[in-house]
Each structure stands twice: as C-alpha cells, then as structure tokens.
Amino acid sequence: GWPTMTMLMKRAFYGAMRRGGVYQYARHKHRNQALILTYHGVLRNGPDSYVNRNCVSAHMFECQIRWLKQNYHILPLSQLIAGLQGHKPLPPFSAALTFDDGFRNNYEVAFPILVRHNVPATIFLTTDMIGSQNGKLWTEQVDEIIYSAFVRRLHIQMNGSLMEFEVSNPRSKEIASDRIRGFLKKLNPTERKRHILALERQVDRKTNYLEEDQIRERYAFLSWDEVRTMAEYGMEFGSHTKSHAILAHLSPVELEDELMNSKRKIEQELNLEPLLKKALEDAEIVDYTFPE
C-alpha cells in the first residue's frame, strides 16, 4: 500500500541524519563499546500496525544484517560477554544479535536470513510457551482483546477507580493498550489474570483482527525441535523466564521458579548450559524488571 505520512516523515528524518554524518560519527565514537541489538519477531506478511510494533519485516531485517556485516564484527553473545568480562579481547565495532520470547517466526523467517549471511544470534526463550499450542504472552492477550473489540469503550478497575477507555478506532485502541498494559505490569500474576479476564468478558470475539496466517506468523511459538535445529547451526539460547513474568512483583520462591526452572528446561532439552539474560549467581539486584 501507499506509505503513511508517519513513514514518510521517518524516512526524511533518518535520511537527513545519514546525509549529515550523524550515524558515522556515533559509530566511530562508540567503536570500543559493544552493540547488542534486541529483536522480537521478523515477519514476511504482517501489516505495518501497532500490534506488530515489536517486529520488523523480513526485507528490513535482511537490509539491517547486510549493513551490520559491512560495519561491525557480529559475534555470538557468549563471545561478546567473555570479551566484556576481560577473558578475551574484542575487536572494535563488536556487535551481537538477540531475540526475546521465542516466536516461531525466528525460525521460519529470521533463521534462513541469518544462515544465508553466516550471522549468529541468541534467542531468549519463554520456556512455558515453547512447544505450546495457541499460547500467548499476557501482553499479547491484552492487545488481542482490545483490537478485536467491537464495543466503543472498555472499563477496568485501576487503583480503586473504574477507568473507561475509548476503543472505537485504531488510534484509541493503541492508547488504551499502552495504558492498560502499563498498569497490569505493576500487578502480581493473579491480579493481572483477573483483570485480563474482566476485559475479555466485555468484548465480542467473533472476528479476528488479523488474518489467520498473520496470527500464526506473529504469535506462534517455537517447538523444541526447531530450537534444536537452530542450535545445530550455532544459534545460542538463553532463559527469558518460564511465563514472561515481571520479576519485580514475584516472591523469592516464585522468582527462583521462573528463573532457575526455565534455565533447567533449556539444559534438559538441548543438553547444554544456556546463557542467562541475567547472571543469577552474581546478581545482587533482585528487582530488575524484564521481560518488557
């Protein structure tokens, strides 16, 4: 379709930065600092919409890989970490690629591009979702509820008050989703689930807001066989918790379960020591919040 005004403005802005040498200056200034790029999904046919805000197109991803290969030394994350810890010198302009969550499009769309360009990547797995059928992260459940809503308004209890959100058009749905997900992040898992169920009871779910093939490509998770295939090609894997929990709101017992059992699950499935997104053994800060 035709480019939107926002897309045209972005192209003009970034084009001006490129012509002005901003990118080259920034790259040179940070040549001895590691660059870590975090992706979530890579899509072949997903629309350019709010629900795909954490994804890039296959074409854009390949363009980025080509540019990175020309301008950086792309290393496995484990090698980058070893260099940052002083165990091994790093070349200037070192970079690593990571993916969060473990979506199947990492295997079906991104993986062939990475193999074609001989580029390593690390995927942090939400282990309860790997191999699941029709599983969704809670953040995406909220998006789906709001975007499939045919009502004009949704209501949710926030901090003791009943809040009303307009959801009659795409822009109002974006605003509502941002506000509601921001509030739900502050709750413990039980309270969050209760609020999500209350939202779901307010909407008519007869029609999908995306086509079936788009839903599958955007939301389906990897299988363990797909994870093992990528591991055979040198891709690395790490823990992204069991259930995509917000760690700051868990008890010590729940925190240990989310982190250590997700780590053990990867070890069991791949027969190796996975990377941890957080170095648990050395951690002194227990209220660090991820995933986003």
Side-chain angles (χ1 to χ4, degrees):
W2 292 100
T4 65
M5 181 59 68
T6 300
M7 291 172 61
L8 292 172
M9 291 175 65
K10 284 182 178 179
R11 289 176 186 174
F13 173 74
Y14 291 120
M17 290 182 66
R18 184 175 60 253
R19 291 189 296 273
V22 174
Y23 293 148
Q24 291 83 348
Y25 170 76
R27 195 174 76 88
H28 180 76
K29 181 180 179 181
H30 298 287
R31 64 190 179 280
N32 294 319
Q33 296 177 339
L35 174 68
I36 300 177
L37 289 87
T38 300
Y39 293 92
H40 286 78
V42 181
L43 305 178
R44 281 188 294 258
N45 59 5
D48 181 21
S49 69
Y50 177 81
V51 293
N52 290 334
R53 62 195 176 281
N54 285 340
C55 301
V56 296
S57 70
H59 172 72
M60 177 58 70
F61 183 66
E62 185 149 28
C63 289
Q64 291 173 1
I65 295 299
R66 286 183 178 135
W67 185 86
L68 286 165
K69 283 198 69 174
Q70 292 172 357
N71 293 278
Y72 285 87
H73 295 94
I74 305 177
L75 307 174
L77 184 60
S78 58
Q79 186 175 334
L80 195 71
I81 291 172
L84 293 174
Q85 292 175 336
H87 302 312
K88 184 178 181 180
L90 289 174
F93 304 113
S94 292
L97 307 182
T98 72
F99 289 83
D100 276 359
D101 301 328
F103 294 114
R104 180 168 292 159
N105 60 58
N106 295 177
Y107 173 78
E108 293 183 337
V109 185
F111 178 53
I113 296 172
L114 294 169
V115 170
R116 185 157 60 245
H117 293 279
N118 194 29
V119 169
T122 299
I123 301 175
F124 290 99
L125 303 173
T126 305
T127 53
D128 279 358
M129 297 293 173
I130 305 305
S132 68
Q133 298 296 320
N134 302 317
K136 280 193 178 71
L137 304 178
W138 72 262
T139 48
E140 290 158 349
Q141 292 174 8
V142 173
D143 278 349
E144 183 177 24
I145 290 168
I146 293 172
Y147 271 79
S148 62
F150 282 90
V151 294
R152 293 186 61 84
R153 295 174 181 83
L154 289 174
H155 299 85
I156 184 171
Q157 284 283 346
M158 284 188 178
N159 304 317
S161 300
L162 185 64
M163 301 294 294
E164 180 179 272
F165 289 92
E166 175 80 17
V167 290
S168 60
N169 58 71
R171 180 55 185 156
S172 67
K173 289 175 187 285
E174 292 178 15
I175 295 170
S177 183
D178 277 342
R179 288 278 308 280
I180 291 172
R181 284 187 297 103
F183 165 70
L184 294 176
K185 280 187 176 183
K186 301 173 184 177
L187 305 182
N188 64 51
T190 301
E191 282 295 298
R192 184 183 305 122
K193 184 176 181 179
R194 183 174 67 82
H195 280 77
I196 292 173
L197 288 173
L199 284 173
E200 191 161 28
R201 285 194 290 266
Q202 299 175 53
V203 304
D204 179 356
R205 304 292 292 279
K206 293 178 182 177
T207 305
N208 288 324
Y209 64 100
L210 293 174
E211 299 294 332
E212 286 295 334
D213 61 334
Q214 293 172 350
I215 291 174
R216 181 187 177 279
E217 185 176 73
R218 171 65 178 84
Y219 294 116
F221 280 89
L222 292 162
S223 69
W224 284 111
D225 283 342
E226 290 163 342
V227 170
R228 282 186 280 270
T229 297
M230 287 191 283
E232 291 172 1
Y233 280 81
M235 304 299 154
E236 297 180 333
F237 294 89
S239 163
H240 198 51
T241 75
K242 286 177 57 182
S243 66
H244 208 256
I246 304 299
L247 301 187
H249 306 302
L250 301 183
S251 69
V253 172
E254 292 169 328
L255 185 66
E256 181 176 6
D257 175 54
E258 284 285 340
L259 295 175
M260 297 311 298
N261 286 330
S262 60
K263 175 179 183 290
R264 293 186 185 111
K265 179 64 173 176
I266 299 171
E267 291 172 344
Q268 173 189 339
E269 294 288 345
L270 298 186
N271 193 28
L272 51 78
E273 179 78 14
L275 292 168
L276 280 172
K277 192 157 192 182
K278 189 166 160 45
L280 299 177
E281 292 78 10
D282 299 327
E284 296 179 358
I285 303 173
V286 296
D287 63 349
Y288 181 76
T289 302
F290 70 89
E292 295 179 354

